[in-house]
Amino acid sequence: AINELCVAGRHLHEEVPFPKHDCVYRGGVLPKKHIDFYRIGRKYRAPMFLATSFQKEVAENFCERLWNAHKGAHGAVVWIVHVNPCGRSDKKLQCKHANLIERSQFAVEKEYLFVPYSVFTVRMVYLSPNPTYHTPHVIHVEAALDNLMEPETLLLAPWC
């Protein structure tokens, strides 16, 4: 039901802005005890709304703010969320459980908001030897096309 609410009003004929490089970004921190969860090939669900930005700089700013707020106790991380590049020209191939939020707190920021329990698959992981906001871990994930086509029994991410 919440998936329908998040994407309500979107029709196939509507023009929805698409990420320039077929990906969106999320910055944050990641406790050391959760790093091993993000293994290449792992498919999981994120048990919360997941805000992402079209702009890498916005994610890096969030990363810096959170790293400073935690006083460096957790490693800085930038998630790069890849979406199906075919969605650029074929609206039926756009992610069905994310939508562009145009009424964000920051008007200039383009934000894709993924609904709770959205499915992602880990593509690549770069673990920084010194994960500060200057040199964060980088985790590439691929967003599923449609949550309804994915098993409900997938692991839940402990941190995202």
Side-chain angles (χ1 to χ4, degrees), residues 14-23 54 83-95 112 145:
E14 285 186 74
E15 192 63 32
V16 177
F18 200 79
K20 185 176 182 179
H21 300 290
D22 306 326
C23 61
F54 278 38
V83 294
N84 187 343
C86 298
R88 180 178 302 286
S89 58
D90 186 347
K91 305 304 177 213
K92 292 180 286 189
L93 296 176
Q94 289 184 353
C95 185
Y112 258 179
L145 180 62

Side-chain angles (χ1 to χ4, degrees), residues 73-139:
H74 301 313
V77 62
V78 172
W79 281 272
I80 300 176
V81 181
H82 299 266
V83 294
N84 187 343
C86 298
R88 180 178 302 286
S89 58
D90 186 347
K91 305 304 177 213
K92 292 180 286 189
L93 296 176
Q94 289 184 353
C95 185
K96 305 218 182 332
H97 48 274
N99 208 355
L100 181 73
I101 303 300
E102 295 176 342
R103 287 172 258 147
S104 175
Q105 181 179 358
F106 307 100
V108 94
E109 182 183 330
K110 288 186 178 175
E111 180 181 313
Y112 258 179
L113 184 65
F114 290 87
V115 300
Y117 302 102
S118 288
V119 175
F120 301 94
T121 303
V122 180
R123 284 173 117 183
M124 186 172 70
V125 177
Y126 166 74
L127 295 179
S128 173
N130 184 28
T132 69
Y133 65 89
H134 291 292
T135 56
H137 300 305
V138 179
I139 301 173

Side-chain angles (χ1 to χ4, degrees), residues 8 17-18 22-23 25 29 35 40 49 51 59 61-62 73 75 86 97-98 119 126 136 138 142 146 150 160:
F18 200 79
D22 306 326
C23 61
Y25 306 90
V29 293
I35 288 174
I40 294 173
F49 282 105
N61 287 339
F62 272 98
C86 298
H97 48 274
V119 175
Y126 166 74
V138 179
E142 185 172 339
D146 186 349
E150 302 293 341
C160 33

